[in-house]
Amino acid sequence: MIVVQYVTFDCAQPYELAAFWRDATGGEFHPETKKEDDEILLQGGGVDLLFIKVPEGKTVKNRLHLDLAGSAGTTRDEEVERLLGIGAKVFADRRNPDGTGWVTMLDPEGNEFCVCRAAHEYA
């Protein structure tokens, strides 16, 4: 049996991108984190995320992305607004008039992720 240890982001600015995802997910920096590190580990927030500095920039659509959903008490639409406030951008709004659908967003380095309805919104 094997387990997923981290979801890793190749990026230009590991600390800055990790700070965005910390604010997005509620995760915390590993206790030994230094702002100038080329590898930054963000723990908690559902899954541990690792940010590694690479020389090349993002050039194509992600082949893997995160789907996020609000926790109890927040909705998809509230989370979209909150994420916009911390630096995300809307890439494609796929919300439907009946409340279904999702919003594809971009983090500060252009990585796609989706914001879906929370479990309590399906009731």
mmCIF file of all heavy atoms in Angstrom, residues 2-30:
data_model
loop_
_atom_site.group_PDB
_atom_site.id
_atom_site.type_symbol
_atom_site.label_atom_id
_atom_site.label_comp_id
_atom_site.label_asym_id
_atom_site.label_seq_id
_atom_site.Cartn_x
_atom_site.Cartn_y
_atom_site.Cartn_z
ATOM 1 N N ILE A 2 0.523 2.203 -0.759
ATOM 2 C CA ILE A 2 1.247 3.470 -0.825
ATOM 3 C C ILE A 2 0.273 4.594 -0.507
ATOM 4 O O ILE A 2 -0.924 4.459 -0.758
ATOM 5 C CB ILE A 2 1.913 3.659 -2.209
ATOM 6 C CG1 ILE A 2 2.948 4.747 -2.169
ATOM 7 C CG2 ILE A 2 0.877 3.898 -3.272
ATOM 8 C CD1 ILE A 2 3.915 4.677 -3.329
ATOM 9 N N VAL A 3 0.782 5.674 0.060
ATOM 10 C CA VAL A 3 -0.065 6.816 0.402
ATOM 11 C C VAL A 3 0.468 8.061 -0.284
ATOM 12 O O VAL A 3 1.651 8.144 -0.600
ATOM 13 C CB VAL A 3 -0.139 7.060 1.930
ATOM 14 C CG1 VAL A 3 -0.742 5.856 2.636
ATOM 15 C CG2 VAL A 3 1.231 7.368 2.486
ATOM 16 N N VAL A 4 -0.402 9.020 -0.526
ATOM 17 C CA VAL A 4 0.016 10.310 -1.055
ATOM 18 C C VAL A 4 0.594 11.101 0.109
ATOM 19 O O VAL A 4 -0.095 11.348 1.105
ATOM 20 C CB VAL A 4 -1.168 11.069 -1.693
ATOM 21 C CG1 VAL A 4 -0.739 12.449 -2.135
ATOM 22 C CG2 VAL A 4 -1.729 10.265 -2.863
ATOM 23 N N GLN A 5 1.868 11.479 -0.015
ATOM 24 C CA GLN A 5 2.510 12.222 1.061
ATOM 25 C C GLN A 5 2.227 13.707 0.938
ATOM 26 O O GLN A 5 1.889 14.364 1.919
ATOM 27 C CB GLN A 5 4.013 11.974 1.049
ATOM 28 C CG GLN A 5 4.734 12.624 2.205
ATOM 29 C CD GLN A 5 6.189 12.201 2.286
ATOM 30 O OE1 GLN A 5 6.708 11.561 1.388
ATOM 31 N NE2 GLN A 5 6.835 12.562 3.365
ATOM 32 N N TYR A 6 2.374 14.269 -0.257
ATOM 33 C CA TYR A 6 2.138 15.691 -0.505
ATOM 34 C C TYR A 6 1.515 15.842 -1.885
ATOM 35 O O TYR A 6 1.697 15.009 -2.757
ATOM 36 C CB TYR A 6 3.437 16.514 -0.545
ATOM 37 C CG TYR A 6 4.376 16.321 0.607
ATOM 38 C CD1 TYR A 6 5.666 15.851 0.400
ATOM 39 C CD2 TYR A 6 3.992 16.634 1.903
ATOM 40 C CE1 TYR A 6 6.547 15.686 1.459
ATOM 41 C CE2 TYR A 6 4.867 16.466 2.969
ATOM 42 C CZ TYR A 6 6.145 15.988 2.740
ATOM 43 O OH TYR A 6 7.007 15.824 3.789
ATOM 44 N N VAL A 7 0.867 16.960 -2.094
ATOM 45 C CA VAL A 7 0.580 17.451 -3.441
ATOM 46 C C VAL A 7 1.589 18.565 -3.649
ATOM 47 O O VAL A 7 1.696 19.485 -2.827
ATOM 48 C CB VAL A 7 -0.872 17.965 -3.570
ATOM 49 C CG1 VAL A 7 -1.084 18.597 -4.933
ATOM 50 C CG2 VAL A 7 -1.860 16.839 -3.330
ATOM 51 N N THR A 8 2.373 18.471 -4.729
ATOM 52 C CA THR A 8 3.494 19.387 -4.946
ATOM 53 C C THR A 8 3.199 20.371 -6.065
ATOM 54 O O THR A 8 2.706 19.986 -7.122
ATOM 55 C CB THR A 8 4.773 18.587 -5.275
ATOM 56 O OG1 THR A 8 5.034 17.690 -4.195
ATOM 57 C CG2 THR A 8 5.961 19.498 -5.474
ATOM 58 N N PHE A 9 3.529 21.631 -5.806
ATOM 59 C CA PHE A 9 3.413 22.702 -6.793
ATOM 60 C C PHE A 9 4.814 23.122 -7.208
ATOM 61 O O PHE A 9 5.611 23.535 -6.361
ATOM 62 C CB PHE A 9 2.732 23.939 -6.179
ATOM 63 C CG PHE A 9 1.267 23.797 -5.906
ATOM 64 C CD1 PHE A 9 0.811 23.040 -4.847
ATOM 65 C CD2 PHE A 9 0.338 24.455 -6.712
ATOM 66 C CE1 PHE A 9 -0.544 22.922 -4.569
ATOM 67 C CE2 PHE A 9 -1.017 24.344 -6.438
ATOM 68 C CZ PHE A 9 -1.459 23.573 -5.370
ATOM 69 N N ASP A 10 5.134 23.034 -8.492
ATOM 70 C CA ASP A 10 6.334 23.682 -9.011
ATOM 71 C C ASP A 10 5.983 25.153 -9.149
ATOM 72 O O ASP A 10 4.899 25.489 -9.647
ATOM 73 C CB ASP A 10 6.715 23.120 -10.378
ATOM 74 C CG ASP A 10 7.225 21.684 -10.311
ATOM 75 O OD1 ASP A 10 7.500 21.199 -9.197
ATOM 76 O OD2 ASP A 10 7.337 21.059 -11.374
ATOM 77 N N CYS A 11 6.880 26.042 -8.722
ATOM 78 C CA CYS A 11 6.527 27.457 -8.739
ATOM 79 C C CYS A 11 7.772 28.340 -8.752
ATOM 80 O O CYS A 11 8.886 27.873 -8.525
ATOM 81 C CB CYS A 11 5.644 27.800 -7.542
ATOM 82 S SG CYS A 11 6.325 27.347 -5.942
ATOM 83 N N ALA A 12 7.568 29.611 -9.019
ATOM 84 C CA ALA A 12 8.652 30.593 -9.047
ATOM 85 C C ALA A 12 8.936 31.149 -7.665
ATOM 86 O O ALA A 12 10.084 31.432 -7.324
ATOM 87 C CB ALA A 12 8.309 31.727 -10.012
ATOM 88 N N GLN A 13 7.903 31.330 -6.853
ATOM 89 C CA GLN A 13 8.044 31.942 -5.529
ATOM 90 C C GLN A 13 7.360 31.054 -4.488
ATOM 91 O O GLN A 13 6.192 31.278 -4.143
ATOM 92 C CB GLN A 13 7.452 33.344 -5.529
ATOM 93 C CG GLN A 13 8.166 34.277 -6.501
ATOM 94 C CD GLN A 13 7.555 35.654 -6.501
ATOM 95 O OE1 GLN A 13 6.349 35.809 -6.630
ATOM 96 N NE2 GLN A 13 8.406 36.657 -6.331
ATOM 97 N N PRO A 14 8.078 30.060 -3.977
ATOM 98 C CA PRO A 14 7.453 29.092 -3.068
ATOM 99 C C PRO A 14 6.806 29.698 -1.830
ATOM 100 O O PRO A 14 5.675 29.335 -1.493
ATOM 101 C CB PRO A 14 8.611 28.167 -2.679
ATOM 102 C CG PRO A 14 9.607 28.318 -3.757
ATOM 103 C CD PRO A 14 9.462 29.714 -4.275
ATOM 104 N N TYR A 15 7.474 30.608 -1.161
ATOM 105 C CA TYR A 15 6.910 31.152 0.076
ATOM 106 C C TYR A 15 5.630 31.936 -0.211
ATOM 107 O O TYR A 15 4.622 31.767 0.477
ATOM 108 C CB TYR A 15 7.927 32.041 0.797
ATOM 109 C CG TYR A 15 7.408 32.524 2.131
ATOM 110 C CD1 TYR A 15 7.559 31.754 3.274
ATOM 111 C CD2 TYR A 15 6.737 33.742 2.242
ATOM 112 C CE1 TYR A 15 7.058 32.173 4.493
ATOM 113 C CE2 TYR A 15 6.233 34.172 3.461
ATOM 114 C CZ TYR A 15 6.399 33.380 4.581
ATOM 115 O OH TYR A 15 5.892 33.805 5.778
ATOM 116 N N GLU A 16 5.663 32.765 -1.232
ATOM 117 C CA GLU A 16 4.501 33.592 -1.555
ATOM 118 C C GLU A 16 3.308 32.735 -1.988
ATOM 119 O O GLU A 16 2.171 32.992 -1.592
ATOM 120 C CB GLU A 16 4.848 34.621 -2.627
ATOM 121 C CG GLU A 16 5.776 35.719 -2.146
ATOM 122 C CD GLU A 16 7.259 35.327 -2.038
ATOM 123 O OE1 GLU A 16 7.621 34.180 -2.416
ATOM 124 O OE2 GLU A 16 8.051 36.152 -1.564
ATOM 125 N N LEU A 17 3.575 31.705 -2.804
ATOM 126 C CA LEU A 17 2.480 30.852 -3.238
ATOM 127 C C LEU A 17 1.946 30.025 -2.066
ATOM 128 O O LEU A 17 0.733 29.865 -1.913
ATOM 129 C CB LEU A 17 2.903 29.943 -4.389
ATOM 130 C CG LEU A 17 1.764 29.211 -5.090
ATOM 131 C CD1 LEU A 17 0.723 30.190 -5.637
ATOM 132 C CD2 LEU A 17 2.301 28.324 -6.195
ATOM 133 N N ALA A 18 2.850 29.536 -1.221
ATOM 134 C CA ALA A 18 2.415 28.797 -0.029
ATOM 135 C C ALA A 18 1.579 29.689 0.892
ATOM 136 O O ALA A 18 0.601 29.226 1.490
ATOM 137 C CB ALA A 18 3.620 28.230 0.712
ATOM 138 N N ALA A 19 1.929 30.965 0.989
ATOM 139 C CA ALA A 19 1.156 31.895 1.829
ATOM 140 C C ALA A 19 -0.265 32.049 1.284
ATOM 141 O O ALA A 19 -1.232 32.102 2.062
ATOM 142 C CB ALA A 19 1.853 33.252 1.924
ATOM 143 N N PHE A 20 -0.412 32.124 -0.044
ATOM 144 C CA PHE A 20 -1.760 32.174 -0.632
ATOM 145 C C PHE A 20 -2.544 30.926 -0.232
ATOM 146 O O PHE A 20 -3.684 31.018 0.235
ATOM 147 C CB PHE A 20 -1.698 32.287 -2.160
ATOM 148 C CG PHE A 20 -3.027 32.024 -2.809
ATOM 149 C CD1 PHE A 20 -3.973 33.033 -2.892
ATOM 150 C CD2 PHE A 20 -3.356 30.762 -3.296
ATOM 151 C CE1 PHE A 20 -5.225 32.787 -3.455
ATOM 152 C CE2 PHE A 20 -4.603 30.502 -3.861
ATOM 153 C CZ PHE A 20 -5.542 31.525 -3.945
ATOM 154 N N TRP A 21 -1.948 29.750 -0.427
ATOM 155 C CA TRP A 21 -2.645 28.503 -0.127
ATOM 156 C C TRP A 21 -2.865 28.315 1.367
ATOM 157 O O TRP A 21 -3.852 27.701 1.777
ATOM 158 C CB TRP A 21 -1.915 27.315 -0.765
ATOM 159 C CG TRP A 21 -2.200 27.262 -2.224
ATOM 160 C CD1 TRP A 21 -1.391 27.685 -3.246
ATOM 161 C CD2 TRP A 21 -3.411 26.819 -2.825
ATOM 162 N NE1 TRP A 21 -2.023 27.515 -4.448
ATOM 163 C CE2 TRP A 21 -3.265 26.985 -4.218
ATOM 164 C CE3 TRP A 21 -4.596 26.292 -2.328
ATOM 165 C CZ2 TRP A 21 -4.276 26.645 -5.114
ATOM 166 C CZ3 TRP A 21 -5.599 25.948 -3.218
ATOM 167 C CH2 TRP A 21 -5.428 26.128 -4.602
ATOM 168 N N ARG A 22 -1.996 28.868 2.212
ATOM 169 C CA ARG A 22 -2.235 28.862 3.664
ATOM 170 C C ARG A 22 -3.527 29.617 3.955
ATOM 171 O O ARG A 22 -4.397 29.144 4.678
ATOM 172 C CB ARG A 22 -1.060 29.515 4.396
ATOM 173 C CG ARG A 22 -1.281 29.633 5.908
ATOM 174 C CD ARG A 22 -0.406 30.683 6.523
ATOM 175 N NE ARG A 22 -0.676 31.982 5.901
ATOM 176 C CZ ARG A 22 0.199 32.980 5.861
ATOM 177 N NH1 ARG A 22 1.400 32.861 6.391
ATOM 178 N NH2 ARG A 22 -0.119 34.120 5.279
ATOM 179 N N ASP A 23 -3.647 30.805 3.357
ATOM 180 C CA ASP A 23 -4.845 31.613 3.575
ATOM 181 C C ASP A 23 -6.083 30.964 2.966
ATOM 182 O O ASP A 23 -7.184 31.092 3.494
ATOM 183 C CB ASP A 23 -4.648 33.015 3.008
ATOM 184 C CG ASP A 23 -3.574 33.808 3.740
ATOM 185 O OD1 ASP A 23 -3.160 33.392 4.851
ATOM 186 O OD2 ASP A 23 -3.131 34.826 3.190
ATOM 187 N N ALA A 24 -5.911 30.259 1.859
ATOM 188 C CA ALA A 24 -7.041 29.606 1.201
ATOM 189 C C ALA A 24 -7.547 28.411 1.991
ATOM 190 O O ALA A 24 -8.757 28.210 2.104
ATOM 191 C CB ALA A 24 -6.644 29.168 -0.216
ATOM 192 N N THR A 25 -6.624 27.615 2.550
ATOM 193 C CA THR A 25 -7.014 26.333 3.144
ATOM 194 C C THR A 25 -6.969 26.286 4.665
ATOM 195 O O THR A 25 -7.462 25.328 5.252
ATOM 196 C CB THR A 25 -6.102 25.206 2.641
ATOM 197 O OG1 THR A 25 -4.763 25.435 3.123
ATOM 198 C CG2 THR A 25 -6.110 25.109 1.124
ATOM 199 N N GLY A 26 -6.333 27.250 5.292
ATOM 200 C CA GLY A 26 -6.180 27.203 6.739
ATOM 201 C C GLY A 26 -5.012 26.345 7.189
ATOM 202 O O GLY A 26 -4.850 26.088 8.373
ATOM 203 N N GLY A 27 -4.183 25.902 6.252
ATOM 204 C CA GLY A 27 -2.989 25.139 6.610
ATOM 205 C C GLY A 27 -1.980 26.016 7.340
ATOM 206 O O GLY A 27 -2.181 27.224 7.493
ATOM 207 N N GLU A 28 -0.889 25.406 7.784
ATOM 208 C CA GLU A 28 0.152 26.132 8.509
ATOM 209 C C GLU A 28 1.517 25.794 7.928
ATOM 210 O O GLU A 28 1.761 24.662 7.507
ATOM 211 C CB GLU A 28 0.135 25.746 9.994
ATOM 212 C CG GLU A 28 -1.146 26.134 10.689
ATOM 213 C CD GLU A 28 -1.140 25.771 12.171
ATOM 214 O OE1 GLU A 28 -0.076 25.375 12.686
ATOM 215 O OE2 GLU A 28 -2.202 25.897 12.791
ATOM 216 N N PHE A 29 2.405 26.775 7.937
ATOM 217 C CA PHE A 29 3.778 26.524 7.518
ATOM 218 C C PHE A 29 4.428 25.509 8.454
ATOM 219 O O PHE A 29 4.185 25.520 9.661
ATOM 220 C CB PHE A 29 4.608 27.818 7.572
ATOM 221 C CG PHE A 29 4.307 28.782 6.468
ATOM 222 C CD1 PHE A 29 3.757 30.022 6.753
ATOM 223 C CD2 PHE A 29 4.576 28.475 5.152
ATOM 224 C CE1 PHE A 29 3.485 30.926 5.748
ATOM 225 C CE2 PHE A 29 4.306 29.365 4.126
ATOM 226 C CZ PHE A 29 3.757 30.595 4.433
ATOM 227 N N HIS A 30 5.258 24.646 7.898
ATOM 228 C CA HIS A 30 6.070 23.749 8.717
ATOM 229 C C HIS A 30 6.861 24.614 9.694
ATOM 230 O O HIS A 30 7.298 25.712 9.333
ATOM 231 C CB HIS A 30 7.014 22.933 7.816
ATOM 232 C CG HIS A 30 7.837 21.952 8.542
ATOM 233 N ND1 HIS A 30 9.014 22.297 9.162
ATOM 234 C CD2 HIS A 30 7.648 20.635 8.767
ATOM 235 C CE1 HIS A 30 9.522 21.223 9.739
ATOM 236 N NE2 HIS A 30 8.717 20.203 9.507
#
